[in-house]
Amino acid sequence: EVSTTSTVSMNILPLDDLVALSSNLGSLHDLRFVLRETMARIRSTTSRVDELAKLRIKYLTKITNPEKNKIKYGYGGEDQEVICSLKCQISVWMRLTADCPLLDGSVYIHKLIGLGGWNQECLEKMKKKINLKKWRRPIQLMDALVEEIERVVNEDGVNIPRTPTLPMKKS
């Protein structure tokens, strides 16, 4: 949901996978396992919501609901898609793994879509370069991508496509 405010809310993913995984543990250990993993999911979700709120303040952002995603791996491993639009006419499709923002490599660019004449080869090079570094926070990834776009424009001479303008009526 796109919003002009930084408010972001998420539900904690269902815990049925944890209960199923704990079924082969002893009676004391299964409860410990479920509690420990539940607390980890709460910490992870809280940190992610904070990160997404910061991202939404700085960039035009659409945050998808991970519960409705079709990107499921099971055992709480659902990726979340986050789409940011840059004023240089690039849409950035990021994926956040279940460990975001706790582990390096939990945020990566899934695809870059250039509008208005961006060279696809240039976009792929930027995507590969940014994804080489293992990011844990989406805002860090986006800041690095903006810096890379500026570098490509200044050093490699790539022209940012201009936003089309409507003709003005002559008076």
Side-chain angles (χ1 to χ4, degrees):
E1 299 174 16
V2 176
S3 173
T4 57
T5 67
S6 63
T7 304
V8 176
S9 65
M10 291 176 58
N11 294 328
I12 296 170
L13 296 171
L15 305 175
D16 54 342
D17 61 325
L18 297 178
V19 174
L21 285 170
S22 71
S23 64
N24 64 347
L25 301 173
S27 61
L28 182 58
H29 298 293
D30 62 350
L31 183 58
R32 283 184 185 166
F33 174 81
V34 171
L35 287 173
R36 183 179 57 243
E37 293 300 318
T38 301
M39 292 304 297
R41 284 192 185 176
I42 290 169
R43 281 191 299 275
S44 176
T45 302
T46 303
S47 297
R48 181 182 295 215
V49 167
D50 292 343
E51 289 297 319
L52 292 175
K54 291 175 192 172
L55 182 70
R56 183 174 269 177
I57 289 170
K58 191 165 184 180
Y59 296 101
L60 179 62
T61 304
K62 178 181 191 234
I63 301 167
T64 65
N65 182 347
E67 293 176 35
K68 295 180 182 174
N69 277 353
K70 294 181 178 132
I71 314 162
K72 296 194 184 284
Y73 305 114
Y75 302 112
E78 291 78 12
D79 280 3
Q80 181 176 15
E81 256 182 0
V82 176
I83 302 140
C84 294
S85 179
L86 299 174
K87 59 184 167 187
C88 63
Q89 298 190 44
I90 293 178
S91 293
V92 183
W93 293 57
M94 289 184 286
R95 290 214 173 141
L96 285 58
T97 68
D99 299 317
C100 173
L102 304 176
L103 294 177
D104 292 339
S106 59
V107 178
Y108 62 95
I109 297 173
H110 175 62
K111 57 184 163 180
L112 291 177
I113 299 175
L115 309 170
W118 273 96
N119 180 321
Q120 192 59 37
E121 185 178 314
C122 178
L123 293 171
E124 280 299 314
K125 284 181 185 175
M126 287 190 290
K127 174 186 164 187
K128 284 180 184 174
K129 183 174 182 179
I130 296 299
N131 280 343
L132 280 177
K133 181 152 167 79
K134 303 300 180 192
W135 303 100
R136 77 170 49 192
R137 292 181 159 74
I139 200 160
Q140 291 174 328
L141 183 147
M142 288 300 297
D143 290 345
L145 179 60
V146 167
E147 287 177 17
E148 178 62 13
I149 292 168
E150 289 172 2
R151 188 201 65 76
V152 165
V153 168
N154 294 332
E155 294 177 15
D156 297 348
V158 172
N159 292 321
I160 295 177
R162 305 188 101 211
T163 303
T165 56
L166 297 173
M168 301 290 287
K169 181 180 177 182
K170 293 182 183 181
S171 39

